[in-house]
Amino acid sequence: MPAPRHQRLARTTYTFGGHLAEYLQGVSDQWLRPAPRANPAMLEIFGDRDRLPRRNLVPWAGEFAGKYLTSAVQILRLTADPALREGIAAFVKHLVSLQAEDGYLGPWPRANRLTGAAPNVMGQEGLTWDAWGHYHVMLGLLLWHEESGDRQALACARRIGDLCCDKFLGARTPRLVDTGSTEMNLALIHSLCLLYRRTKAQPYLDMALQILEEFAALAPDGSHLAGDYLRSGLDGREFFQTPKPRWESLHPIMGLAELYWLTGRDDCRRAFEHHWWSIAKLDRHNNGGFSSGEQAQGNPYHPGAIETCCTIAWAAMSAEMLRLTGSSVVADELELATLNSILGLHSHTGRWVTYNTPMDGVRKASAHDIVFQAREGSPELNCCSVNGPRGLGLIGEWALMQGEEGLFLNWYGPSTLEAETAWGRVRLAQETEYPRNGRINLRVSPAKAAEFALHLRLPYWSARTRVRLNGEAVKGVRPGTYLKLERRWKRGDKIELDLDMSPHYWAGERECEDRTSVYRGPVLLTYDRRHNEMDPEDLPELDARALKGRLLPNQDWLPTQVLAEYQAADGRRLRLCDFASAGEGGSPYVSWLKVRNAPATPYSPANPLRSGRT
Ligand SMILES: [Zn+2]
């Protein structure tokens, strides 16, 4: 069977500095640790599912516990915080105790278990995303089992898998696809694949393969019941033109990559890769975020809401794509999303996330925008608040990876990563202010001298990168690739990496016609009113031919990753900060700027859709 090209190293200790360290600490202390007790209905809704009067629930209420758990475990991998670990263990113990005898672990009444409808959806009879809720619970439980070895968590996930097989496997009716809300409910394919990989119990794989068939199911009138993800991917249809272009579809699509590894079916791999590239090309915004109005539109300039859940799903799908292809350009995408949209959707304190993180606009907490999801006992819960931290947690999936050809370093920033690798214990310590500037001093320290290849990600935007190894210049440095350094490494070997931070541009079209995005390395430069004297309607034009800026010291009480001052064409001074920090103080921000003489810049030299390969 094919194996992932690159894998995360499970036994890695992460020590981050700088901006990211503050976010991780904040998210852990201010949100993940207090969230369950501040919002006890996250679990209570399972315990009183058959009590009267019925709770009035949103269709996706069953997802909150699972999304929360996935976020918490992924952050824990990065911080190893003992208090968070203890909190998760107690949370899982309680969650598992709320499973019904038949394996059901949702919030709906007995007669409505996995039927796809219930009498108490938003106060009336309506459709439920019940299988989707179970998908998220399974995902969280499996991650926690992997992290902790907790057998109760695995047993609980198995009982959910068994319940799905009992209800739907074989020629039973209704089928899972008949329960409706199929972008959501068919996501079970992904967690069933993960469960099969863990247990090797055949029915889980059989059920996943059955869902693969159900992707193409038709209604009596010939319309698609589900997203037809396999066939549309093989036919080369753009993702936004598929029958179900909402963001939830990215989760069932992740099942395609898993099925490729489990069965060797190359059609699943090709369809998955096609959809990833289609979104990267047509629906990924300038800030690395995905979705416009909660779905793909085939237009990265579309001003619709860029929902937190959508960007998180895009990052999770990208981590899968990176495992599948080992392409450094995919890691570039993850960095872009993380340093701009994902940090940007978080409050710097970690206390809240947004629902919408627009390219131009203001930042509002999800507690403003989607307050309709708040309920008694869960005032802070909504689909985004439980999901957002996963975006930061995902860094552990891609920061440092291992493949047959060696180690692959994707994360740049102040950090020490220490990993148990196939070549012994290796410590990678970075002294740097990146992304404030492009100089990275990296020390490579294997516990014992060892021969292996270390691959450094050379971002596609870094036109001229300089690399020195123990003082000697390294040749063969090409953007959009990994630089392979193969040698006998010994403690204290030193690499100096200078990434090209000169500005690069994305000239806008359609709704962003006559506007340009300006990047400094991976960071999208953004006007924020609070750093400037002019208002958003009065922004001066920059000249790309003579764009000179100077970095300003970070002395603000609201910290930034980057703050720089540029001379505009009319002589005024325009201060730009990193997208993630823009709007933190509640002021309006603009990332599509007025720029004259900006060159057209292709998204990526390695984009196979641009160069005609598939
Ligand atoms: Zn959401």
Side-chain angles (χ1 to χ4, degrees):
M1 282 308 143
R5 291 280 301 274
H6 298 170
Q7 298 258 43
R8 83 182 179 96
L9 286 146
R11 293 173 61 198
T12 303
T13 353
Y14 303 86
T15 314
F16 292 105
H19 220 58
L20 177 64
E22 288 172 33
Y23 274 88
L24 290 175
Q25 179 101 42
V27 160
S28 190
D29 293 352
Q30 305 264 9
W31 171 246
L32 292 172
R33 285 173 52 199
R37 280 175 202 248
N39 300 276
M42 195 191 313
L43 292 174
E44 292 287 309
I45 56 170
F46 298 129
D48 60 10
R49 57 176 79 95
D50 288 308
R51 303 297 296 269
L52 297 174
R54 299 197 196 287
R55 287 176 185 263
N56 161 359
L57 300 172
V58 294
W60 50 89
E63 74 175 27
F64 296 152
K67 278 184 170 176
Y68 166 80
L69 180 56
T70 298
S71 288
V73 176
Q74 291 200 316
I75 294 286
L76 177 68
R77 284 172 172 175
L78 298 179
T79 62
D81 175 355
L84 180 59
R85 183 179 294 277
E86 215 173 282
I88 298 173
F91 179 86
V92 171
K93 193 169 173 209
H94 194 175
L95 174 66
V96 169
S97 77
L98 297 167
Q99 189 169 34
E101 60 301 329
D102 65 353
Y104 183 75
L105 192 42
W108 306 105
R110 182 177 292 273
N112 303 87
R113 292 182 181 177
L114 291 176
T115 60
N120 52 330
V121 181
M122 313 283 277
Q124 57 187 0
E125 176 78 31
L127 294 178
T128 63
W129 304 6
D130 203 5
W132 165 261
H134 284 80
Y135 160 64
H136 281 289
V137 169
M138 287 176 84
L139 206 59
L141 288 169
L142 289 169
L143 267 178
W144 174 244
H145 169 71
E146 193 183 318
E147 177 65 27
S148 66
D150 180 347
R151 290 204 196 127
Q152 297 302 323
L154 179 61
C156 181
R158 284 197 76 143
R159 286 192 294 270
I160 294 173
D162 294 343
L163 173 67
C164 295
C165 294
D166 289 347
K167 282 216 184 261
F168 300 112
L169 182 59
R172 286 168 214 264
T173 50
R175 300 165 300 174
L176 180 60
V177 73
D178 299 319
T179 67
S181 312
T182 58
E183 308 92 313
M184 304 84 187
N185 287 334
L186 298 192
L188 270 179
I189 188 175
H190 182 211
S191 57
L192 286 164
C193 285
L194 300 176
L195 185 60
Y196 172 73
R197 188 196 291 164
R198 172 65 51 187
T199 61
K200 292 288 175 283
Q202 190 63 32
Y204 306 140
L205 180 59
D206 293 343
M207 186 66 222
L209 288 166
Q210 183 173 316
I211 296 173
L212 181 68
E213 296 295 317
E214 291 182 16
F215 282 170
L218 298 176
D221 68 0
S223 64
H224 280 281
L225 289 172
D228 202 20
Y229 310 114
L230 179 62
R231 219 170 39 190
S232 63
L234 296 174
D235 290 351
R237 239 174 303 163
E238 300 297 357
F239 176 66
F240 81 95
Q241 293 168 322
T242 62
K244 301 284 177 187
R246 275 186 63 87
W247 70 273
E248 292 91 348
S249 288
L250 273 55
H251 291 274
I253 285 173
M254 281 187 254
L256 292 174
E258 297 296 332
L259 277 177
Y260 167 64
W261 291 316
L262 294 176
T263 67
R265 279 187 59 166
D266 199 55
D267 55 347
C268 290
R269 177 191 66 77
R270 283 184 284 134
F272 176 89
E273 289 192 19
H274 169 80
H275 289 310
W276 189 90
W277 281 111
S278 180
I279 294 171
K281 185 179 66 166
L282 297 171
D283 277 288
R284 189 270 281 160
H285 295 281
N286 65 347
N287 54 18
F290 160 62
S291 83
S292 310
E294 307 186 1
Q295 67 169 70
Q297 306 276 1
N299 175 10
Y301 310 106
H302 193 293
I306 304 175
E307 186 190 346
T308 288
C309 288
C310 312
T311 298
I312 300 306
W314 170 237
M317 183 181 177
S318 298
E320 199 89 17
M321 181 74 173
L322 183 55
R323 282 193 283 279
L324 188 63
T325 61
S327 162
S328 70
V329 171
V330 180
D332 295 342
E333 273 294 305
L334 279 159
E335 179 185 56
L336 178 80
T338 303
L339 295 186
N340 296 289
S341 261
I342 292 172
L343 289 179
L345 63 87
H346 278 94
S347 156
H348 189 84
T349 64
R351 284 173 87 118
W352 54 266
V353 301
T354 63
Y355 158 75
N356 175 20
T357 311
M359 300 180 281
D360 299 341
V362 291
R363 286 213 270 152
K364 290 187 194 172
S366 57
H368 298 145
D369 267 347
I370 48 175
V371 67
F372 77 94
Q373 299 189 34
R375 288 292 183 279
E376 49 275 36
S378 55
E380 298 168 302
L381 292 196
N382 56 62
C383 55
C384 297
S385 68
V386 286
N387 209 7
R390 186 180 180 194
L392 298 176
L394 276 165
I395 292 170
E397 302 269 326
W398 58 274
L400 176 64
M401 302 178 89
Q402 178 174 294
E404 274 180 22
E405 315 89 354
L407 297 180
F408 294 80
L409 181 62
N410 292 314
W411 177 260
Y412 295 133
S415 58
T416 302
L417 310 181
E418 195 161 352
E420 210 61 69
T421 76
W423 303 275
R425 195 151 187 85
V426 177
R427 180 186 156 111
L428 300 171
Q430 297 182 48
E431 261 181 45
T432 178
E433 287 186 88
Y434 183 86
R436 194 173 135 79
N437 61 49
R439 165 51 81 91
I440 295 152
N441 292 320
L442 171 65
R443 287 216 180 254
V444 184
S445 299
K448 278 190 215 148
E451 185 154 341
F452 61 91
L454 173 63
H455 300 76
L456 302 179
R457 178 175 63 89
L458 300 176
Y460 65 81
W461 44 259
S462 181
R464 276 179 297 275
T465 307
R466 284 196 316 247
V467 186
R468 299 177 81 82
L469 172 58
N470 292 330
E472 303 234 347
V474 176
K475 293 204 183 81
V477 176
R478 279 191 304 129
T481 64
Y482 285 108
L483 174 66
K484 182 176 182 178
L485 299 171
E486 187 162 26
R487 65 197 300 273
R488 187 170 175 79
W489 294 96
K490 53 187 192 318
R491 185 177 288 265
D493 278 333
K494 189 179 168 194
I495 297 168
E496 293 153 279
L497 180 63
D498 282 295
L499 297 175
D500 184 349
M501 304 300 267
S502 57
H504 56 108
Y505 302 91
W506 176 356
E509 299 161 54
R510 302 194 197 184
E511 291 89 339
C512 300
E513 179 102 58
D514 300 328
R515 295 285 188 279
T516 298
S517 292
V518 184
Y519 296 87
R520 193 172 181 283
V523 165
L524 174 63
L525 292 176
T526 304
Y527 157 91
D528 180 345
R529 191 182 64 190
R530 64 186 295 276
H531 297 302
N532 287 283
E533 280 168 14
M534 78 286 285
D535 292 333
E537 291 305 311
D538 182 34
L539 295 193
E541 192 176 43
L542 297 169
D543 187 344
R545 268 193 212 138
L547 191 63
K548 287 227 163 50
R550 65 185 181 97
L551 281 173
L552 299 176
N554 187 358
Q555 292 166 333
D556 198 77
W557 74 293
L558 299 175
T560 50
Q561 296 182 87
V562 174
L563 181 63
E565 188 171 86
Y566 294 87
Q567 181 98 31
D570 66 3
R572 284 189 288 168
R573 288 188 179 153
L574 180 64
R575 288 184 173 189
L576 301 174
C577 67
D578 60 293
F579 177 84
S581 303
E584 180 85 28
S587 47
Y589 65 84
V590 179
S591 71
W592 284 103
L593 302 168
K594 292 184 204 166
V595 182
R596 67 170 76 146
N597 300 319
T601 308
Y603 145 66
S604 150
N607 183 336
L609 293 173
R610 280 189 189 271
S611 60
R613 291 181 286 124
T614 53

